[in-house]
Amino acid sequence: MKLIIALTLLSFTAALPAATASDPNIIVIFCDDLGYGDLGCYGSTKNRTPRVDQLANDGMMFTDFYSSSPVCTPSRASLMTGCYPRRVGMHEDFTGHWVLIPRSRRGLNPKELTVAEVLKSKGYVTACVGKWHLGDQPPHLPTQHGFDYYFGIPYSNDMQSAGRGDPPLPLVKQSRVIEAPADQTTLTKRYTEQVISFIEDNQAKPFFVYLPHTFPHLPLFASPEFSGKSANGRYGDSIEEIDWSTGQILDCLDRLKLAENTLVIFTSDNGAIPNDPLDDTDKYPGWQEEMPRLGSNLPFRGKKSQLYEGGIRTPSVISWQSHLPKGKMLHPIHMTDWMPTLTQLVGYRPGSDPQWDGQNIWPLLTGEVPVPEERSIFWNFRGSSFGLRNGDWKLIYEEGQSAEETELFHIDRDPYETRNLAGENLGRVEEMIGEIGEQRKLDGTSKRSDVP
Ligand SMILES: [Ca+2]
């Protein structure tokens, strides 16, 4: 089945013009905690997302797109660098937390090469509008990582713990706090205005816009025009405003006659937090009102912070008018693929040792090369949790576990990960544990991350 659909996709490509126009504009719309089942085009019957659905219809939808982590910071590190979080030291606990917290001295190393820096070196003007979460101190802000312009919150919108000494949630422009606490009800609207203004101002040049939305990460907010309007509570309100925002940006491209030469990606950093009655993590009186967990990772098991598919497989769409075929890509694609793909698309030629973990998937998307049979993808979360997808097999492994104690699933036959096949495939499990051991060796191997 998989092969047949893949070939159908490839058959579209024969009539397409060969790959690239020169210097396409690039827009990456990156949601926070949006689950696999949260968009209409991925099966949501609650959240209305007509503009993103249309984008998917006009472009290519990924069925097996994987983030590099089930939480924010490591996932974003991979998007920016093309590396597994472990390679750039963004994989492990941050003073006991899964992600960077306010005022941490850590952040993405300024020496790391980011997609924004490469595009800037190729003549692009670059903007980051939204939640950064790769370090909130001056050496780690977007303006130090290749972005000409920054407007947004530097970390998650729930990081306002008075007990920890967190400052009021800052809204930052370039490297200056312009509002604290940030008015979250209008964040999506203001991000949208900022992006449109940036595109209008820079329409004569190639531009790269990275729009990491604040929502649907909890707590949830939406503008008055969207608040209380969806059939899925505040969660749906925030998603429907993001869909509106996407439409505004696409309309802007049409109005300025830039759509033909603009590549748009829409995706999410990790899975959603669904309302799991068995999960009492962080629950307290009133939690459901303040933090309504209405996300969906269906049809997959698990959630944000887990290596089950629901935590790491995210909705993902790419569209670039006549330059890409329409259809579905069924082969596993990974967050680290964007850096090699986008930079090589605009003519960047890495050295002989680019130290990327991702692959340039452009020839795969355009059908220039056939869909490979298998691919190996590695995860490491919190230092001691590991995952490996090898073809259709997926292993979840905790440090120190014996082969019998691991979880092995056949993703194609059992996408919901209900049948642990480790016990009857111990040889395969041992092999996969061995491969995880090899992947662990890349810890801190980025030659660029030799300073804190
Ligand atoms: Ca997230």
Side-chain angles (χ1 to χ4, degrees), residues 130-136 141 150 152-156 169-172:
K131 172 181 138 176
W132 175 238
H133 216 177
L134 288 171
D136 66 330
L141 287 172
Y150 176 54
I153 59 171
Y155 41 74
S156 297
L169 183 68
L171 180 64
V172 176

Side-chain angles (χ1 to χ4, degrees), residues 30-49:
F30 196 68
C31 299
D32 196 344
D33 296 3
L34 182 77
Y36 194 90
D38 277 335
L39 297 173
C41 52
Y42 278 84
S44 175
T45 55
K46 292 181 176 172
N47 310 320
R48 295 168 297 185
T49 57

Side-chain angles (χ1 to χ4, degrees), residues 31-34 70-72 76 131 156 217 269-271 304:
C31 299
D32 196 344
D33 296 3
L34 182 77
V71 294
C72 307
R76 285 147 205 266
K131 172 181 138 176
S156 297
H217 193 288
D269 68 338
N270 52 255
K304 174 181 183 176

Side-chain angles (χ1 to χ4, degrees), residues 165-225:
D166 293 353
L169 183 68
L171 180 64
V172 176
K173 188 171 185 176
Q174 300 298 74
S175 56
R176 193 167 62 84
V177 176
I178 58 169
E179 186 178 305
D183 176 1
Q184 295 201 50
T185 57
T186 55
L187 271 185
T188 301
K189 189 177 189 179
R190 285 189 282 172
Y191 290 169
T192 309
E193 291 164 354
Q194 290 283 324
V195 167
I196 288 174
S197 170
F198 182 84
I199 292 173
E200 287 172 344
D201 291 346
N202 294 286
Q203 56 184 293
K205 310 165 198 163
F207 57 78
F208 171 52
V209 171
Y210 171 45
L211 170 53
H213 278 292
T214 290
F215 305 111
H217 193 288
L218 307 176
L220 296 159
F221 294 91
S223 299
E225 295 91 321

Side-chain angles (χ1 to χ4, degrees), residues 85-393:
R86 196 172 181 101
R87 187 188 290 279
V88 293
M90 290 276 107
H91 64 293
E92 57 187 349
D93 284 348
F94 300 94
T95 56
H97 298 269
W98 295 342
V99 294
L100 289 166
I101 60 169
R103 300 182 302 147
S104 173
R105 62 183 288 274
R106 295 187 61 186
L108 183 64
N109 191 303
K111 289 188 176 178
E112 293 296 344
L113 187 65
T114 68
V115 61
E117 283 164 341
V118 174
L119 293 175
K120 194 168 159 61
S121 77
K122 302 302 282 184
Y124 280 65
V125 284
T126 54
C128 172
V129 177
K131 172 181 138 176
W132 175 238
H133 216 177
L134 288 171
D136 66 330
Q137 297 304 300
H140 301 129
L141 287 172
T143 44
Q144 298 300 310
H145 278 296
F147 289 100
D148 297 312
Y149 184 68
Y150 176 54
F151 179 97
I153 59 171
Y155 41 74
S156 297
N157 61 334
D158 63 340
M159 292 181 166
Q160 300 175 74
S161 164
R164 193 168 56 195
D166 293 353
L169 183 68
L171 180 64
V172 176
K173 188 171 185 176
Q174 300 298 74
S175 56
R176 193 167 62 84
V177 176
I178 58 169
E179 186 178 305
D183 176 1
Q184 295 201 50
T185 57
T186 55
L187 271 185
T188 301
K189 189 177 189 179
R190 285 189 282 172
Y191 290 169
T192 309
E193 291 164 354
Q194 290 283 324
V195 167
I196 288 174
S197 170
F198 182 84
I199 292 173
E200 287 172 344
D201 291 346
N202 294 286
Q203 56 184 293
K205 310 165 198 163
F207 57 78
F208 171 52
V209 171
Y210 171 45
L211 170 53
H213 278 292
T214 290
F215 305 111
H217 193 288
L218 307 176
L220 296 159
F221 294 91
S223 299
E225 295 91 321
F226 293 89
S227 189
K229 300 291 167 59
S230 82
N232 194 24
R234 288 157 62 177
Y235 192 85
D237 295 347
S238 76
I239 290 175
E240 293 186 3
E241 187 164 18
I242 287 173
D243 185 73
W244 165 86
S245 165
T246 306
Q248 291 289 300
I249 293 166
L250 296 176
D251 289 347
C252 169
L253 296 176
D254 279 335
R255 176 164 52 83
L256 300 177
K257 301 191 174 5
L258 296 173
E260 171 61 30
N261 200 34
T262 302
L263 183 160
V264 180
I265 292 169
F266 185 99
T267 187
S268 173
D269 68 338
N270 52 255
I273 307 177
N275 188 6
D276 179 354
L278 298 178
D279 174 19
D280 60 0
T281 316
D282 298 333
K283 285 185 182 173
Y284 53 88
W287 68 272
Q288 185 62 282
E289 288 72 41
E290 190 177 332
M291 301 272 191
R293 297 168 175 185
L294 298 166
S296 167
N297 299 314
L298 292 175
F300 302 117
R301 173 185 180 182
K303 58 174 184 172
K304 174 181 183 176
S305 83
Q306 295 180 340
L307 291 176
Y308 294 121
E309 296 290 281
I312 50 178
R313 207 194 291 208
T314 58
S316 197
V317 165
I318 184 170
S319 179
W320 183 16
Q321 296 224 341
S322 56
H323 301 278
L324 270 177
K326 298 180 181 185
K328 287 187 178 178
M329 172 52 71
L330 311 177
H331 185 64
I333 303 297
H334 192 250
M335 187 73 82
T336 56
D337 296 339
W338 291 132
M339 166 73 158
T341 302
L342 297 177
T343 56
Q344 290 179 79
L345 184 64
V346 304
Y348 176 68
R349 295 291 171 261
S352 57
D353 183 19
Q355 297 192 328
W356 286 333
D357 296 299
Q359 303 168 2
N360 178 5
I361 58 167
W362 193 255
L364 187 63
L365 299 183
T366 54
E368 292 165 58
V369 299
V371 177
E373 285 284 308
E374 290 201 343
R375 181 174 187 183
S376 193
I377 295 177
F378 166 73
W379 292 268
N380 179 207
F381 176 50
R382 292 181 300 178
S384 62
S385 299
F386 297 90
L388 186 73
R389 177 165 169 172
N390 207 332
D392 284 328
W393 292 95

